[in-house]
Short mmCIF file of all heavy atoms in Angstrom, two decimals:
data_model
loop_
_atom_site.label_atom_id
_atom_site.label_comp_id
_atom_site.label_asym_id
_atom_site.label_seq_id
_atom_site.Cartn_x
_atom_site.Cartn_y
_atom_site.Cartn_z
N MET A 1 -2.48 18.41 9.73
CA MET A 1 -1.56 17.35 9.27
C MET A 1 -0.84 17.82 7.99
O MET A 1 -1.47 18.33 7.09
CB MET A 1 -2.34 16.06 9.00
CG MET A 1 -1.46 14.91 8.60
SD MET A 1 -2.42 13.42 8.24
CE MET A 1 -3.16 13.10 9.86
N LEU A 2 0.43 17.60 7.95
CA LEU A 2 1.18 17.98 6.77
C LEU A 2 0.87 17.03 5.62
O LEU A 2 0.59 15.86 5.81
CB LEU A 2 2.68 17.92 7.06
CG LEU A 2 3.20 18.95 8.10
CD1 LEU A 2 4.66 18.70 8.37
CD2 LEU A 2 2.97 20.35 7.65
N SER A 3 0.92 17.55 4.44
CA SER A 3 0.68 16.73 3.27
C SER A 3 1.65 15.58 3.17
O SER A 3 2.85 15.77 3.31
CB SER A 3 0.78 17.62 2.01
OG SER A 3 0.57 16.85 0.86
N GLY A 4 1.15 14.40 2.93
CA GLY A 4 2.00 13.24 2.77
C GLY A 4 2.40 12.56 4.06
O GLY A 4 3.05 11.53 4.06
N GLU A 5 1.98 13.13 5.20
CA GLU A 5 2.32 12.52 6.47
C GLU A 5 1.03 11.99 7.14
O GLU A 5 0.03 12.65 7.19
CB GLU A 5 2.98 13.52 7.39
CG GLU A 5 4.33 13.94 6.89
CD GLU A 5 5.07 14.78 7.90
OE1 GLU A 5 4.49 15.04 8.99
OE2 GLU A 5 6.20 15.19 7.62
N ILE A 6 1.15 10.77 7.65
CA ILE A 6 0.01 10.15 8.29
C ILE A 6 0.40 9.79 9.73
O ILE A 6 1.49 9.22 9.95
CB ILE A 6 -0.42 8.88 7.54
CG1 ILE A 6 -0.74 9.21 6.10
CG2 ILE A 6 -1.62 8.22 8.26
CD1 ILE A 6 -1.02 7.97 5.25
N ASP A 7 -0.44 10.12 10.66
CA ASP A 7 -0.16 9.78 12.07
C ASP A 7 0.01 8.26 12.19
O ASP A 7 -0.81 7.50 11.70
CB ASP A 7 -1.32 10.27 12.92
CG ASP A 7 -0.98 10.19 14.39
OD1 ASP A 7 -0.44 9.19 14.85
OD2 ASP A 7 -1.26 11.19 15.09
N ILE A 8 1.05 7.84 12.84
CA ILE A 8 1.33 6.41 12.98
C ILE A 8 0.17 5.64 13.63
O ILE A 8 -0.08 4.49 13.29
CB ILE A 8 2.63 6.21 13.79
CG1 ILE A 8 3.06 4.75 13.74
CG2 ILE A 8 2.51 6.68 15.21
CD1 ILE A 8 3.39 4.22 12.35
N GLU A 9 -0.58 6.33 14.48
CA GLU A 9 -1.67 5.66 15.17
C GLU A 9 -2.82 5.29 14.23
O GLU A 9 -3.56 4.35 14.48
CB GLU A 9 -2.20 6.55 16.28
CG GLU A 9 -1.19 6.78 17.41
CD GLU A 9 -0.79 5.47 18.08
OE1 GLU A 9 -1.68 4.60 18.28
OE2 GLU A 9 0.38 5.30 18.41
N ILE A 10 -2.91 6.00 13.15
CA ILE A 10 -4.00 5.73 12.21
C ILE A 10 -3.46 5.23 10.86
O ILE A 10 -4.21 5.05 9.93
CB ILE A 10 -4.86 6.97 11.96
CG1 ILE A 10 -4.08 8.12 11.38
CG2 ILE A 10 -5.57 7.39 13.28
CD1 ILE A 10 -4.94 9.30 10.91
N ASN A 11 -2.14 5.02 10.83
CA ASN A 11 -1.52 4.61 9.58
C ASN A 11 -1.59 3.11 9.44
O ASN A 11 -0.66 2.38 9.74
CB ASN A 11 -0.11 5.12 9.53
CG ASN A 11 0.50 4.97 8.15
OD1 ASN A 11 -0.01 4.22 7.32
ND2 ASN A 11 1.58 5.68 7.90
N ASP A 12 -2.72 2.60 8.98
CA ASP A 12 -2.90 1.16 8.82
C ASP A 12 -1.92 0.56 7.80
O ASP A 12 -1.52 -0.58 7.91
CB ASP A 12 -4.32 0.85 8.39
CG ASP A 12 -5.31 1.07 9.53
OD1 ASP A 12 -4.91 0.93 10.68
OD2 ASP A 12 -6.47 1.39 9.23
N HIS A 13 -1.58 1.37 6.84
CA HIS A 13 -0.63 0.86 5.85
C HIS A 13 0.72 0.56 6.51
O HIS A 13 1.31 -0.50 6.26
CB HIS A 13 -0.45 1.88 4.72
CG HIS A 13 0.25 1.30 3.54
ND1 HIS A 13 1.60 1.16 3.46
CD2 HIS A 13 -0.26 0.80 2.40
CE1 HIS A 13 1.91 0.58 2.30
NE2 HIS A 13 0.81 0.36 1.64
N PHE A 14 1.17 1.44 7.37
CA PHE A 14 2.43 1.22 8.06
C PHE A 14 2.33 0.01 8.96
O PHE A 14 3.24 -0.82 9.02
CB PHE A 14 2.81 2.47 8.87
CG PHE A 14 4.21 2.41 9.39
CD1 PHE A 14 5.27 2.92 8.66
CD2 PHE A 14 4.48 1.85 10.62
CE1 PHE A 14 6.58 2.85 9.16
CE2 PHE A 14 5.78 1.78 11.15
CZ PHE A 14 6.82 2.27 10.39
N LYS A 15 1.22 -0.13 9.65
CA LYS A 15 1.02 -1.27 10.54
C LYS A 15 1.05 -2.59 9.75
O LYS A 15 1.59 -3.60 10.17
CB LYS A 15 -0.32 -1.14 11.26
CG LYS A 15 -0.33 -0.03 12.27
CD LYS A 15 -1.72 0.08 12.91
CE LYS A 15 -1.79 1.24 13.88
NZ LYS A 15 -3.17 1.41 14.42
N ASN A 16 0.43 -2.59 8.58
CA ASN A 16 0.30 -3.81 7.80
C ASN A 16 1.59 -4.14 7.04
O ASN A 16 1.92 -5.30 6.87
CB ASN A 16 -0.85 -3.67 6.82
CG ASN A 16 -2.19 -3.67 7.49
OD1 ASN A 16 -2.33 -4.21 8.58
ND2 ASN A 16 -3.17 -3.07 6.89
N PHE A 17 2.26 -3.11 6.54
CA PHE A 17 3.35 -3.36 5.64
C PHE A 17 4.70 -2.94 6.17
O PHE A 17 5.75 -3.15 5.55
CB PHE A 17 3.10 -2.66 4.31
CG PHE A 17 1.82 -3.14 3.64
CD1 PHE A 17 0.70 -2.34 3.63
CD2 PHE A 17 1.77 -4.39 3.05
CE1 PHE A 17 -0.46 -2.79 3.01
CE2 PHE A 17 0.62 -4.84 2.43
CZ PHE A 17 -0.53 -4.06 2.42
N GLY A 18 4.69 -2.24 7.35
CA GLY A 18 5.93 -1.87 7.99
C GLY A 18 6.62 -0.70 7.42
O GLY A 18 7.81 -0.44 7.68
N LYS A 19 5.95 0.03 6.58
CA LYS A 19 6.55 1.24 6.02
C LYS A 19 5.42 2.15 5.56
O LYS A 19 4.28 1.72 5.37
CB LYS A 19 7.49 0.93 4.89
CG LYS A 19 6.84 0.14 3.74
CD LYS A 19 7.87 -0.27 2.73
CE LYS A 19 7.32 -1.20 1.70
NZ LYS A 19 8.33 -1.64 0.74
N ASP A 20 5.79 3.42 5.39
CA ASP A 20 4.79 4.37 4.95
C ASP A 20 4.40 4.16 3.51
O ASP A 20 5.17 3.65 2.72
CB ASP A 20 5.32 5.78 5.14
CG ASP A 20 4.22 6.81 5.11
OD1 ASP A 20 3.51 6.93 6.13
OD2 ASP A 20 4.02 7.44 4.05
N ILE A 21 3.19 4.56 3.21
CA ILE A 21 2.71 4.34 1.85
C ILE A 21 3.55 5.03 0.79
O ILE A 21 3.67 4.56 -0.33
CB ILE A 21 1.22 4.79 1.75
CG1 ILE A 21 0.61 4.31 0.41
CG2 ILE A 21 1.09 6.32 1.92
CD1 ILE A 21 -0.90 4.42 0.42
N ASN A 22 4.17 6.11 1.22
CA ASN A 22 5.04 6.84 0.28
C ASN A 22 6.31 6.08 -0.05
O ASN A 22 7.00 6.37 -1.02
CB ASN A 22 5.38 8.23 0.85
CG ASN A 22 4.16 9.09 0.93
OD1 ASN A 22 3.30 9.03 0.10
ND2 ASN A 22 4.10 9.88 1.97
N ASP A 23 6.62 5.09 0.79
CA ASP A 23 7.88 4.31 0.59
C ASP A 23 7.62 3.00 -0.14
O ASP A 23 8.56 2.25 -0.40
CB ASP A 23 8.50 4.01 1.94
CG ASP A 23 8.95 5.29 2.64
OD1 ASP A 23 9.39 6.22 1.93
OD2 ASP A 23 8.84 5.35 3.86
N VAL A 24 6.38 2.72 -0.43
CA VAL A 24 6.10 1.47 -1.12
C VAL A 24 6.55 1.53 -2.56
O VAL A 24 6.39 2.54 -3.23
CB VAL A 24 4.56 1.18 -1.08
CG1 VAL A 24 4.22 -0.09 -1.85
CG2 VAL A 24 4.11 1.05 0.36
N ASP A 25 7.09 0.43 -3.01
CA ASP A 25 7.58 0.36 -4.39
C ASP A 25 6.46 -0.15 -5.32
O ASP A 25 6.12 -1.33 -5.27
CB ASP A 25 8.78 -0.56 -4.45
CG ASP A 25 9.31 -0.67 -5.89
OD1 ASP A 25 8.88 0.12 -6.75
OD2 ASP A 25 10.13 -1.57 -6.12
N TYR A 26 5.91 0.70 -6.08
CA TYR A 26 4.84 0.32 -7.01
C TYR A 26 5.40 0.04 -8.41
O TYR A 26 4.66 -0.04 -9.37
CB TYR A 26 3.80 1.44 -7.10
CG TYR A 26 2.99 1.64 -5.84
CD1 TYR A 26 3.24 2.69 -5.00
CD2 TYR A 26 1.98 0.73 -5.49
CE1 TYR A 26 2.48 2.89 -3.86
CE2 TYR A 26 1.22 0.90 -4.34
CZ TYR A 26 1.47 2.01 -3.54
OH TYR A 26 0.74 2.19 -2.41
N ASN A 27 6.71 -0.08 -8.50
CA ASN A 27 7.36 -0.16 -9.78
C ASN A 27 6.91 -1.33 -10.64
O ASN A 27 7.17 -2.47 -10.37
CB ASN A 27 8.88 -0.26 -9.54
CG ASN A 27 9.63 -0.23 -10.85
OD1 ASN A 27 9.15 0.32 -11.84
ND2 ASN A 27 10.82 -0.78 -10.87
N GLY A 28 6.16 -1.03 -11.68
CA GLY A 28 5.87 -2.00 -12.70
C GLY A 28 4.86 -3.08 -12.33
O GLY A 28 4.75 -4.08 -13.01
N ASN A 29 4.11 -2.87 -11.25
CA ASN A 29 3.13 -3.88 -10.86
C ASN A 29 1.75 -3.61 -11.39
O ASN A 29 0.84 -4.40 -11.16
CB ASN A 29 3.09 -3.99 -9.32
CG ASN A 29 4.37 -4.62 -8.80
OD1 ASN A 29 4.87 -5.59 -9.32
ND2 ASN A 29 4.93 -4.03 -7.76
N GLY A 30 1.58 -2.49 -12.04
CA GLY A 30 0.27 -2.23 -12.67
C GLY A 30 -0.78 -1.80 -11.68
O GLY A 30 -0.49 -1.36 -10.59
N LEU A 31 -2.03 -1.98 -12.08
CA LEU A 31 -3.16 -1.54 -11.28
C LEU A 31 -4.01 -2.72 -10.80
O LEU A 31 -4.10 -3.74 -11.46
CB LEU A 31 -4.03 -0.59 -12.09
CG LEU A 31 -3.34 0.70 -12.56
CD1 LEU A 31 -4.31 1.48 -13.47
CD2 LEU A 31 -2.88 1.55 -11.41
N CYS A 32 -4.66 -2.51 -9.66
CA CYS A 32 -5.54 -3.53 -9.11
C CYS A 32 -6.78 -3.67 -10.00
O CYS A 32 -7.41 -2.66 -10.32
CB CYS A 32 -5.94 -3.10 -7.70
SG CYS A 32 -7.15 -4.20 -6.93
N PRO A 33 -7.15 -4.88 -10.34
CA PRO A 33 -8.34 -5.07 -11.17
C PRO A 33 -9.65 -4.85 -10.41
O PRO A 33 -10.70 -4.73 -11.02
CB PRO A 33 -8.23 -6.54 -11.60
CG PRO A 33 -7.43 -7.19 -10.50
CD PRO A 33 -6.46 -6.13 -10.05
N PHE A 34 -9.53 -4.75 -9.09
CA PHE A 34 -10.75 -4.57 -8.27
C PHE A 34 -11.06 -3.09 -8.04
O PHE A 34 -12.21 -2.70 -8.10
CB PHE A 34 -10.59 -5.26 -6.93
CG PHE A 34 -10.24 -6.72 -7.08
CD1 PHE A 34 -8.98 -7.18 -6.75
CD2 PHE A 34 -11.19 -7.61 -7.54
CE1 PHE A 34 -8.64 -8.52 -6.88
CE2 PHE A 34 -10.85 -8.96 -7.68
CZ PHE A 34 -9.61 -9.41 -7.37
N CYS A 35 -10.03 -2.29 -7.74
CA CYS A 35 -10.27 -0.91 -7.40
C CYS A 35 -9.48 0.05 -8.25
O CYS A 35 -9.60 1.25 -8.11
CB CYS A 35 -9.97 -0.69 -5.92
SG CYS A 35 -8.23 -0.77 -5.54
N ASN A 36 -8.61 -0.49 -9.13
CA ASN A 36 -7.85 0.35 -10.03
C ASN A 36 -6.76 1.16 -9.37
O ASN A 36 -6.27 2.13 -9.93
CB ASN A 36 -8.77 1.25 -10.83
CG ASN A 36 -8.39 1.28 -12.30
OD1 ASN A 36 -7.88 0.31 -12.84
ND2 ASN A 36 -8.63 2.40 -12.94
N SER A 37 -6.40 0.78 -8.14
CA SER A 37 -5.31 1.46 -7.47
C SER A 37 -4.00 0.73 -7.81
O SER A 37 -3.99 -0.37 -8.33
CB SER A 37 -5.50 1.43 -5.96
OG SER A 37 -6.60 2.22 -5.60
N ARG A 38 -2.89 1.40 -7.46
CA ARG A 38 -1.59 0.79 -7.71
C ARG A 38 -1.35 -0.41 -6.82
O ARG A 38 -1.80 -0.45 -5.67
CB ARG A 38 -0.47 1.80 -7.48
CG ARG A 38 -0.52 2.95 -8.47
CD ARG A 38 0.46 4.04 -8.06
NE ARG A 38 0.16 4.55 -6.75
CZ ARG A 38 0.88 5.44 -6.10
NH1 ARG A 38 1.97 5.90 -6.67
NH2 ARG A 38 0.53 5.88 -4.93
N ILE A 39 -0.62 -1.39 -7.30
CA ILE A 39 -0.30 -2.57 -6.56
C ILE A 39 1.15 -2.49 -6.09
O ILE A 39 2.04 -2.10 -6.85
CB ILE A 39 -0.46 -3.83 -7.45
CG1 ILE A 39 -1.94 -3.91 -7.92
CG2 ILE A 39 -0.06 -5.08 -6.72
CD1 ILE A 39 -2.12 -4.88 -9.05
N ASP A 40 1.39 -2.89 -4.84
CA ASP A 40 2.75 -2.77 -4.33
C ASP A 40 3.61 -3.98 -4.70
O ASP A 40 3.18 -4.88 -5.41
CB ASP A 40 2.76 -2.51 -2.83
CG ASP A 40 2.37 -3.73 -2.01
OD1 ASP A 40 2.30 -4.84 -2.57
OD2 ASP A 40 2.12 -3.55 -0.81
N GLU A 41 4.89 -3.96 -4.21
CA GLU A 41 5.83 -4.97 -4.62
C GLU A 41 5.52 -6.37 -4.08
O GLU A 41 6.07 -7.35 -4.51
CB GLU A 41 7.26 -4.56 -4.23
CG GLU A 41 7.52 -4.59 -2.72
CD GLU A 41 7.24 -3.26 -2.07
OE1 GLU A 41 6.16 -2.66 -2.30
OE2 GLU A 41 8.09 -2.79 -1.31
N PHE A 42 4.56 -6.45 -3.15
CA PHE A 42 4.14 -7.75 -2.63
C PHE A 42 2.83 -8.20 -3.28
O PHE A 42 2.22 -9.16 -2.84
CB PHE A 42 3.97 -7.68 -1.11
CG PHE A 42 5.23 -7.24 -0.41
CD1 PHE A 42 5.28 -6.05 0.28
CD2 PHE A 42 6.35 -8.05 -0.41
CE1 PHE A 42 6.42 -5.63 0.93
CE2 PHE A 42 7.53 -7.64 0.24
CZ PHE A 42 7.55 -6.46 0.91
N ASN A 43 2.43 -7.50 -4.30
CA ASN A 43 1.20 -7.79 -5.00
C ASN A 43 -0.03 -7.60 -4.13
O ASN A 43 -1.07 -8.24 -4.34
CB ASN A 43 1.23 -9.23 -5.59
CG ASN A 43 2.24 -9.35 -6.71
OD1 ASN A 43 2.32 -8.52 -7.58
ND2 ASN A 43 3.00 -10.40 -6.66
N PHE A 44 0.09 -6.73 -3.17
CA PHE A 44 -1.06 -6.36 -2.35
C PHE A 44 -1.60 -5.01 -2.78
O PHE A 44 -0.87 -4.13 -3.19
CB PHE A 44 -0.67 -6.30 -0.87
CG PHE A 44 -0.61 -7.65 -0.23
CD1 PHE A 44 0.63 -8.23 0.06
CD2 PHE A 44 -1.76 -8.35 0.10
CE1 PHE A 44 0.72 -9.46 0.66
CE2 PHE A 44 -1.68 -9.60 0.70
CZ PHE A 44 -0.44 -10.15 0.99
N CYS A 45 -2.92 -4.87 -2.62
CA CYS A 45 -3.56 -3.58 -2.89
C CYS A 45 -4.20 -3.05 -1.62
O CYS A 45 -4.55 -3.82 -0.73
CB CYS A 45 -4.58 -3.76 -4.00
SG CYS A 45 -5.50 -2.25 -4.30
N ALA A 46 -4.40 -1.76 -1.59
CA ALA A 46 -5.02 -1.14 -0.40
C ALA A 46 -6.43 -1.64 -0.17
O ALA A 46 -6.94 -1.60 0.93
CB ALA A 46 -5.04 0.38 -0.58
N CYS A 47 -7.13 -2.15 -1.18
CA CYS A 47 -8.49 -2.60 -1.03
C CYS A 47 -8.51 -4.01 -0.40
O CYS A 47 -9.57 -4.53 -0.09
CB CYS A 47 -9.21 -2.65 -2.38
SG CYS A 47 -8.70 -4.00 -3.47
N GLY A 48 -7.35 -4.62 -0.21
CA GLY A 48 -7.30 -5.95 0.38
C GLY A 48 -7.07 -7.03 -0.66
O GLY A 48 -6.91 -8.19 -0.32
N GLY A 49 -7.08 -6.68 -1.89
CA GLY A 49 -6.84 -7.64 -2.93
C GLY A 49 -5.39 -8.10 -2.96
O GLY A 49 -4.50 -7.30 -2.84
N ASN A 50 -5.19 -9.39 -3.06
CA ASN A 50 -3.82 -9.92 -3.17
C ASN A 50 -3.68 -10.53 -4.55
O ASN A 50 -4.18 -11.60 -4.83
CB ASN A 50 -3.58 -10.98 -2.08
CG ASN A 50 -2.18 -11.54 -2.17
OD1 ASN A 50 -1.42 -11.24 -3.10
ND2 ASN A 50 -1.79 -12.33 -1.19
N LEU A 51 -2.98 -9.82 -5.39
CA LEU A 51 -2.80 -10.28 -6.79
C LEU A 51 -1.79 -11.38 -6.95
O LEU A 51 -1.62 -11.89 -8.03
CB LEU A 51 -2.46 -9.07 -7.67
CG LEU A 51 -3.60 -8.06 -7.86
CD1 LEU A 51 -4.87 -8.72 -8.32
CD2 LEU A 51 -3.86 -7.24 -6.61
N GLY A 52 -1.10 -11.68 -5.83
CA GLY A 52 -0.06 -12.70 -5.90
C GLY A 52 -0.60 -14.09 -5.74
O GLY A 52 0.08 -15.09 -5.96
N VAL A 53 -1.88 -14.24 -5.38
CA VAL A 53 -2.51 -15.54 -5.20
C VAL A 53 -3.46 -15.81 -6.34
O VAL A 53 -4.29 -14.97 -6.67
CB VAL A 53 -3.27 -15.61 -3.85
CG1 VAL A 53 -4.02 -16.93 -3.73
CG2 VAL A 53 -2.30 -15.40 -2.70
N ASP A 54 -3.30 -16.97 -6.93
CA ASP A 54 -4.12 -17.38 -8.07
C ASP A 54 -3.96 -16.42 -9.24
O ASP A 54 -4.86 -15.74 -9.61
CB ASP A 54 -5.59 -17.45 -7.65
CG ASP A 54 -6.45 -18.11 -8.73
OD1 ASP A 54 -5.88 -18.75 -9.64
OD2 ASP A 54 -7.68 -17.95 -8.66
ZN1 ZN B 1 -7.51 -2.85 -5.05
#
């Protein structure tokens, strides 16, 4: 597999968000308080945390 490319069949991020993880806009949303990963423009994190609620 080439670096940065994920097979669509196993790309859960694409299935969930409709775009590849490399295309997600993480601009200025900070880090997830649960797993310390970047948060996308919908306030969702890869760990399942939704920072947009509560
Ligand atoms: Zn997280």
